[in-house]
Amino acid sequence: MTLNFPAAAWRPEAGNIPAEPNAFVGRERDLADLISMLGHVRMLTLFGPGGIGKTRLALKLAAELTPDFADGAWLVDLAEADSPDRVVSLVAGAFGIRPEPDRPLADTLAEALRGQSLLLVLDTCEHLVQASAELVQRLLRGCPELRVIATSREALRVRGEVIWRVPPLGLPDADANAAMGDYEAITLFVTRAAAVRPGFGLHASNSAAVADICRTLDGVPLAIELAAARVRTLSADQIRNRLASKFELLAFGDRTAPLRQQTLRATVEWSLDLLTKAERKLLSRLSVFHGWSLEMAEQVCADGQIPASAVLDLLSALIDKSLVIVDAEVGGNGRYRLLDTVRELSAERAQADGESPALRTAHRDCMLALVTDIAGRAFLRGAPSWPERVDMYLRVLADRANFGIAILYCIQHGDADAGLRLCNALSSSWLANGDVSDGAAWIDELLAGTPQAQAPAGLRARALAVRSELAFEQQDYTGAARFAAAGLDLSRACADGNPASALRMQSLTLLLAGRLSEAAEHADAALAAARHARDPWEEGISLAARAAVLAGQGLLDEAQASYEQALEALSGNNRWGVANVLSGLGLLARARGDAAGAVRYFSDALVIYRQIDARPEMARCLGAIGLVALAVTDLATARTSLSESVRLNLATGQRLGIARSLAALAALAAAVGDYERGVQVAAAAQALFETIGVRPASVSRLQSVFDQGRKRLGREAADAAAERGRVMSPRQAAALAMASEPAVPAVPASQPGWINGHDQAAAGSAVTGAGPGPGQGPDERAWPGPLTERECEVAKLIAEGLSNRAIGHKLFISQSTAARHVANIFAKLGFNTRAQVTAWVVKAGTIPPELTSPQARRLT
């Protein structure tokens, strides 16, 4: 059998250290010392006041060291963290690691990074130094190959921490006779000045003034850069004279502040005072953002004093003066930000001018309008195109901090209406990205307000349905059911309520609870409500939920039809939903034994998931493709796909996905005859399943690996291998499973096929985009005896009196495949007749005696 398996294209990034915006000047000796130091220490804190160059030095150091770390160097900016919990979530988010139910995110993060050789840069820790210290201590304890560089105005005081006080740049003494260009501070000033005024250089007529400027600024890099930006309009002498008078004016300020902090603040204030009134006003208003685009600045910062048409020119002037930083583009649009020190002082001026309340309100309105527009266009048929929708997805991610600022403003001011509108519009991004914990907490706070402060009932009903989806993504199925029920009650009680989403979520939670008839009723009701509301997106995903329920009932033809209707409803719409439906169709094809169809569906879904970097969904698709390849004895493809699947699961820290991947890799090892490795990996998978309290759907697969190991290795050797596997960490087990192995002959196609490693009910799991499918949750029950899931299905059909041909027709497999399943059943159970199989089925309780065929009842 020849199938077209896709190559596993995902590879982990080698980090996210940004490219340098301009030349790095000086600190060569510091860099050499720090590089040498990091070969011996695991935790380095670059310590010093704002503007001294901590971040720039850390990034340069990380860029130099990246080749030494197999898993790269990673930057996490903690400036946007507004609470201790956000420290962990920001670090986890940088690696794409998702929260797990009933487990601290720090533990999931530590497990995901365990064994990885990487450098982590935590920038701007001082405002949450305790939370930063606790996380660093946890990671260093659990991740032996991890190195951490922190930047802070305060030491973290972590065990093993080495504190490096970042010094000012080298300065000449007042009577220095050496060449001025040999000093770092002078070189920085000249380099930055030449960037804004080409041809600027150091010569006899200006060298004394430049040296005086750098000495006055105490060698602080940020202060020097701000001063150098002034050579576009001022001479070096003019800059020196103006700085001297500025510091004289500030001499009676806070003498208790460290000298360099006085220097930096004075320099920033001096730079602000040299701005025009309009430039100064715009800069103070821009402090409301955590990064912005030109359109955002025009919307929030323009008024009668600053017309929208003037914002671009003013912004350009602020960029020229080194007060605004140009960031990377997002979706073809330029992005900008302020350095923390500039933003802090600008915010103080906005507060002093009495503009902060209006700015925060305008910022909230801007973010609400932005995400409402995106949500309104991203889930409709027709335009925009899918690439444009991908850009929308990236845009929301780029403004994640701004959305958080806006929602927190709503919470602080009791504005549940705007807050819930923001959350409802952001929900699809949270679900696609898997970053749902903050959204869940924000909705809970906004719904908990006093009755007088509550949002309209229809808005709250929608928020409860969203909260149910977030709980489902967190695998909190009890909570998902509770929120869905509350949302349904509220939507039915108000005139503008739409119960479709709540009904859909109820159907899925009922499906997982095994209440199939109720699940079907709610799925049909959800579909009817979506069509009544003329909502094509909700109609499509309701059809997919209905298909999952039908698959759970064993109605495979009806499930196939419902999935196809879902694809039709979602055609020309958001392809994230299409990918979820395709993944569900792939599971359905696997349940039927249609290997070619399964690969086609999973491959098509995988392409879409890769476009939005949906790693957990990519891992599920690759794992499923690997199982199909194993079933048709394409062992090379099985190995490649399953290895990529386990890497992705390790990267996102999802223990359930890791356990499933290990179980599949154990089966692969046994299939190629490496029984010792197979038993070890299977034992590690079983131990992980037990740790997270889930009984695996692959229990028979694991048992088969153990049985083969005992048969081939002997019970004593197999049990010893299992014991070694049980004490392995998931990462150690994955490394063992993926280690190079000798080529072996392919196993015969008559070997029991793992293509049917999930029952039909599992065909609905990918449709929801989250959590295990039906029959895969904590209450899973193993199939009785030594038979696989598919063999038990065949055994039940034997008990019903079906022939091999009829069994093949019923299960959508060939007659010869059905015959092989029957032969395997006879061999495993030691039987010779169908009557013996029927008696065993009845005794096992998988089918009531009255449902067996009359002939079978007579024989038993």
Side-chain angles (χ1 to χ4, degrees):
M1 182 178 188
T2 302
L3 300 176
N4 295 318
F5 292 99
W10 182 86
R11 291 292 185 275
E13 301 289 340
N16 66 345
I17 302 300
E20 294 184 287
N22 46 32
F24 184 86
V25 177
R27 300 203 187 278
E28 287 82 5
R29 182 172 179 177
D30 291 346
L31 274 171
D33 290 345
L34 291 169
I35 289 172
S36 175
M37 183 182 300
L38 277 169
H40 305 91
V41 303
R42 298 185 58 208
M43 170 60 188
L44 170 68
T45 296
L46 300 180
F47 171 80
I52 200 67
K54 302 184 295 297
T55 298
R56 191 66 191 271
L57 180 58
L59 294 181
K60 181 65 174 178
L61 185 58
E64 294 288 331
L65 290 171
T66 294
D68 297 339
F69 293 89
D71 298 296
W74 296 83
L75 168 67
V76 180
D77 181 4
L78 298 182
E80 69 176 86
D82 48 28
S83 68
D85 291 341
R86 286 285 287 161
V87 172
V88 180
S89 63
L90 283 172
V91 176
F95 294 98
I97 294 169
R98 297 182 175 187
E100 293 184 288
D102 304 321
R103 191 189 196 199
L105 181 55
D107 290 348
T108 299
L109 174 63
E111 183 61 38
L113 300 185
R114 187 190 307 277
Q116 291 198 42
S117 170
L118 60 84
L119 176 64
L120 174 61
V121 179
L122 296 179
D123 190 33
T124 316
C125 298
E126 59 269 5
H127 62 306
L128 290 168
V129 67
Q130 182 63 34
S132 300
E134 290 172 358
L135 177 61
V136 168
Q137 189 71 66
R138 174 71 181 85
L139 294 179
L140 291 176
R141 186 172 63 247
C143 308
E145 300 300 317
L146 174 70
R147 297 290 185 274
V148 178
I149 298 174
T151 72
S152 179
R153 301 184 194 185
E154 180 181 348
L156 272 63
R157 295 187 176 86
V158 171
R159 181 176 299 175
E161 175 186 24
V162 172
I163 301 170
W164 178 281
R165 186 181 294 275
V166 179
L169 296 176
L171 290 165
D173 295 331
D175 56 353
N177 295 319
M180 289 294 182
D182 293 340
Y183 293 94
E184 294 174 330
I186 304 295
T187 302
L188 178 63
F189 183 94
V190 172
T191 301
R192 298 298 186 255
V196 298
R197 198 176 94 189
F200 181 90
L202 196 66
H203 45 75
S205 64
N206 67 8
S207 60
V210 170
D212 285 343
I213 291 169
C214 292
R215 280 193 294 267
T216 300
L217 298 179
D218 204 27
V220 176
L222 176 57
I224 291 171
E225 295 204 26
L226 292 173
R230 284 293 163 188
V231 301
R232 179 187 294 273
T233 54
L234 298 173
S235 69
D237 279 327
Q238 288 175 304
I239 294 172
R240 173 178 58 182
N241 295 334
R242 287 170 178 260
L243 277 174
S245 62
K246 179 67 177 179
F247 287 125
E248 288 174 6
L249 290 173
L250 295 176
F252 298 100
D254 182 5
R255 296 182 181 275
T256 64
L259 175 59
R260 293 191 190 100
Q261 288 185 15
Q262 294 182 49
T263 301
L264 176 62
R265 184 178 184 88
T267 306
V268 175
E269 288 188 338
W270 169 75
S271 296
L272 298 186
D273 289 342
L274 290 177
L275 298 175
T276 67
K277 181 178 179 181
E279 290 170 347
R280 192 161 54 247
K281 180 67 71 175
L282 178 61
L283 188 65
S284 68
R285 292 176 178 180
L286 290 172
S287 66
V288 76
F289 291 111
H290 196 288
W292 69 89
S293 66
L294 174 61
E295 292 76 13
M296 293 165 68
E298 289 172 337
Q299 182 176 338
V300 173
C301 302
D303 62 3
Q305 299 180 60
I306 303 177
S309 59
V311 170
L312 175 58
D313 288 341
L314 292 172
L315 183 61
S316 299
L318 294 173
I319 294 170
D320 290 342
K321 296 173 175 66
S322 297
L323 291 166
V324 169
I325 306 299
V326 179
D327 256 345
E329 292 184 1
V330 176
N333 292 316
R335 300 281 300 184
Y336 313 93
R337 64 181 173 87
L338 296 177
L339 292 172
D340 290 339
T341 305
V342 177
R343 185 183 183 206
E344 179 182 340
L345 187 53
S346 298
E348 288 180 12
R349 294 201 168 194
Q351 181 72 33
D353 292 342
E355 291 199 330
S356 288
L359 279 173
R360 292 293 303 275
T361 301
H363 175 271
R364 177 206 64 195
D365 293 343
C366 171
M367 303 316 299
L368 180 56
L370 172 64
V371 76
T372 300
D373 174 67
I374 288 176
R377 293 189 296 123
F379 297 92
L380 294 175
R381 274 187 171 179
S385 66
W386 173 239
E388 290 174 299
R389 297 181 203 233
V390 172
D391 285 343
M392 291 177 182
Y393 170 81
L394 297 176
R395 174 64 188 277
V396 171
L397 288 182
D399 276 311
R400 181 171 57 183
N402 278 317
F403 288 121
I405 291 170
I407 294 172
L408 288 173
Y409 176 76
C410 294
I411 292 172
Q412 293 162 0
H413 289 77
D415 187 357
D417 188 295
L420 290 179
R421 291 182 191 279
L422 279 162
C423 290
N424 290 348
L426 287 165
S427 61
S428 58
S429 174
W430 293 337
L431 290 165
N433 190 49
D435 186 16
V436 301
S437 296
D438 286 337
W442 288 331
I443 291 177
D444 288 345
E445 287 197 64
L446 290 163
L447 289 173
T450 62
Q452 295 78 13
Q454 287 183 348
L459 186 57
R460 285 185 285 124
R462 172 61 187 150
L464 285 164
V466 167
R467 186 64 180 86
S468 176
E469 292 188 276
L470 299 182
F472 201 94
E473 172 72 16
Q474 294 171 309
Q475 299 175 33
D476 175 14
Y477 304 118
T478 301
R482 183 176 70 255
F483 289 119
L488 181 59
D489 290 342
L490 192 56
S491 66
R492 284 173 170 168
C494 59
D496 59 344
N498 180 1
S501 297
L503 285 164
R504 170 171 53 83
M505 293 310 302
Q506 279 202 320
S507 74
L508 294 174
T509 56
L510 289 166
L511 174 59
L512 290 181
R515 295 159 61 181
L516 300 183
S517 60
E518 294 175 79
E521 292 174 3
H522 281 75
D524 289 340
L527 179 57
R531 286 172 171 167
H532 178 75
R534 297 182 180 179
D535 184 342
W537 169 258
E538 186 63 45
E539 178 183 353
I541 57 178
S542 293
L543 280 163
R546 180 172 175 268
V549 175
L550 290 167
Q553 293 175 313
L555 303 174
L556 303 190
D557 288 342
E558 292 86 342
Q560 177 82 22
S562 190
Y563 276 132
E564 290 173 353
Q565 291 172 37
L567 283 180
E568 183 178 351
L570 293 172
S571 63
N573 207 317
N574 193 299
R575 293 186 63 77
W576 169 53
V578 170
N580 289 338
V581 175
L582 290 170
S583 187
L585 279 164
L587 289 172
L588 192 61
R590 271 188 59 202
R592 287 173 154 170
D594 178 7
V599 169
R600 183 175 67 254
Y601 288 128
F602 286 130
S603 301
D604 289 346
L606 190 58
V607 169
I608 299 171
Y609 287 140
R610 280 174 175 158
Q611 290 171 336
I612 59 174
D613 197 30
R615 297 184 184 184
E617 288 78 10
M618 290 160 59
R620 282 195 282 267
C621 282
L622 285 164
I625 290 170
L627 289 174
V628 175
L630 183 59
V632 298
T633 66
D634 183 350
L635 303 185
T637 297
R639 177 178 176 78
T640 300
S641 296
L642 292 173
S643 296
E644 289 304 312
S645 178
V646 77
R647 287 191 188 101
L648 281 161
N649 280 313
L650 286 166
T652 54
Q654 300 303 289
R655 292 176 297 169
L656 185 57
I658 295 168
R660 288 173 176 164
S661 297
L662 290 176
L665 285 165
L668 174 62
V672 301
D674 192 345
Y675 300 106
E676 182 177 0
R677 188 200 310 238
V679 168
Q680 282 186 261
V681 176
Q686 187 179 64
L688 187 54
F689 277 124
E690 292 170 358
T691 298
I692 57 182
V694 172
R695 186 173 180 83
S698 54
V699 63
S700 59
R701 183 182 305 144
L702 292 173
Q703 188 59 51
S704 177
V705 174
F706 292 137
D707 290 345
Q708 291 178 72
R710 292 189 181 103
K711 181 178 179 180
R712 301 286 181 154
L713 303 172
R715 179 173 292 275
E716 184 174 345
D719 289 349
E723 190 58 35
R724 291 195 297 274
R726 288 188 66 83
V727 298
M728 282 183 168
S729 71
R731 192 169 294 279
Q732 289 172 329
L736 173 64
M738 294 186 291
S740 60
E741 59 190 22
V744 295
V747 296
S750 58
Q751 181 108 357
W754 303 121
I755 191 170
N756 299 313
H758 292 273
D759 58 49
Q760 301 102 307
S765 64
V767 176
T768 64
Q776 294 175 288
D779 296 326
E780 290 175 311
R781 182 171 60 88
W783 291 80
L787 303 189
T788 66
E789 292 95 326
R790 177 61 92 186
E791 289 164 355
C792 275
E793 288 181 297
V794 172
K796 287 191 286 185
L797 295 176
I798 290 173
E800 293 177 15
L802 274 64
S803 65
N804 289 351
R805 181 176 181 180
I807 290 171
H809 180 75
K810 180 77 172 180
L811 298 180
F812 298 91
I813 59 178
S814 68
Q815 182 175 347
S816 60
T817 299
R820 285 198 299 271
H821 284 312
V822 173
N824 286 335
I825 292 168
F826 284 177
K828 289 183 177 182
L829 299 179
F831 295 157
N832 298 309
T833 68
R834 291 179 178 249
Q836 290 173 301
V837 174
T838 300
W840 177 84
V841 169
V842 173
K843 183 177 180 181
T846 59
I847 186 170
E850 61 271 15
L851 295 184
T852 59
S853 69
Q855 180 184 13
R857 287 201 299 272
R858 285 196 300 272
L859 290 172
T860 58

